[in-house]
């Protein structure tokens, strides 16, 4: 991700990133620091599994903290409930689509950092999300996939309700 590029994310997605960051920084890292300190006091560090594993885990945590900080810094929070045109597919839309065999799928278009295909959360820059952008109910959209092209019909569009 280039420094000038922002990445869309839902408020829930940003909350999940912050929760992960806070957990790593406030809980997991201090526990590992304590283990490494204890293990370092036990003498020879070259054969000390607790020390070696702890240092390795600390590097992993620090790397993830750095990554999460970078992602949150460049995140642009978009609340789907505030979408003015709820008749078309935009960021945060929950879309029901059907293929040529009338098999239906329901997808929610979210930020790339919060996508989870198994849960129906599709990243904003995925081929299917790009194809569905701006579509209305009844529109046919062709998606280019690695296995070839597939046509989908938009059956329903909804957005989360806004909080007052």
């Amino acid at each position: 991700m280039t420094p000038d590029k922002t990445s869309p994310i839902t408020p829930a997605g940003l909350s999940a990133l912050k929760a992960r960051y806070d957990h790593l920084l406030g809980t997991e890292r201090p526990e590992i620091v304590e283990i490494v300190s204890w293990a370092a006091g036990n003498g020879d560090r070259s054969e000390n599994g607790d020390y070696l594993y702890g240092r390795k885990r600390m590097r992993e945590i620090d790397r993830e903290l750095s990554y999460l900080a970078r992602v949150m810094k460049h995140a642009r929070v978009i609340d789907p409930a505030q979408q003015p045109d709820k008749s078309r597919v935009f960021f945060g839309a929950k879309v029901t689509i059907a293929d040529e065999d009338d098999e239906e799928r329901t997808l929610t278009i979210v930020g790339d950092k919060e996508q989870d295909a198994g849960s129906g959360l599709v990243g904003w820059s995925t081929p299917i999300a790009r194809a569905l952008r701006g579509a209305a109910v009844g529109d046919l959209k062709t998606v280019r996939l690695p296995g070839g092209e597939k046509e989908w019909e938009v059956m329903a569009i909804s957005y989360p309700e806004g909080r007052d």
Side-chain angles (χ1 to χ4, degrees):
M1 178 182 325
T2 58
D4 61 328
K5 186 175 180 186
T6 60
S7 196
I9 193 166
T10 62
L14 185 63
S15 293
L17 290 177
K18 283 181 181 175
R20 177 69 179 154
Y21 185 90
D22 292 343
H23 171 74
L24 287 172
L25 189 63
T27 306
E28 213 169 312
R29 192 173 193 288
E31 289 172 1
I32 297 296
V33 167
E34 189 176 318
I35 291 170
V36 169
S37 296
W38 170 80
N42 288 340
D44 186 9
R45 296 176 185 173
S46 66
E47 294 180 12
N48 187 326
D50 287 331
Y51 179 81
L52 295 174
Y53 171 76
R55 291 292 308 233
K56 179 179 182 270
R57 181 66 187 129
M58 228 161 60
R59 284 191 301 273
E60 291 169 355
I61 290 171
D62 289 344
R63 201 169 24 255
E64 188 173 354
L65 286 169
S66 174
Y67 168 77
L68 290 170
R70 208 170 40 253
V71 168
M72 289 188 293
K73 178 181 178 185
H74 295 290
R76 181 172 37 106
V77 179
I78 299 174
D79 187 354
Q82 304 303 315
Q83 177 56 249
D85 183 2
K86 292 184 170 37
S87 67
R88 297 194 168 276
V89 176
F90 295 108
F91 184 82
K94 186 175 195 173
V95 187
T96 302
I97 54 177
D99 63 11
E100 297 94 358
D101 301 323
D102 288 331
E103 286 187 40
E104 289 191 0
R105 274 177 76 179
T106 300
L107 312 168
T108 302
I109 299 175
V110 297
D112 292 333
K113 303 299 180 195
E114 55 187 323
Q115 67 185 345
D116 179 6
S119 300
L121 302 176
V122 178
W124 178 243
S125 63
T126 59
I128 194 160
R130 285 196 313 265
L132 291 172
R133 288 181 196 170
V137 173
D139 286 357
L140 292 175
K141 292 293 184 172
T142 302
V143 181
R144 286 196 174 106
L145 300 170
E149 291 187 348
K150 188 161 187 173
E151 192 171 70
W152 297 91
E153 180 179 356
V154 178
M155 306 302 286
I157 302 168
S158 65
Y159 287 87
E161 294 297 318
R163 294 182 213 140
D164 295 327

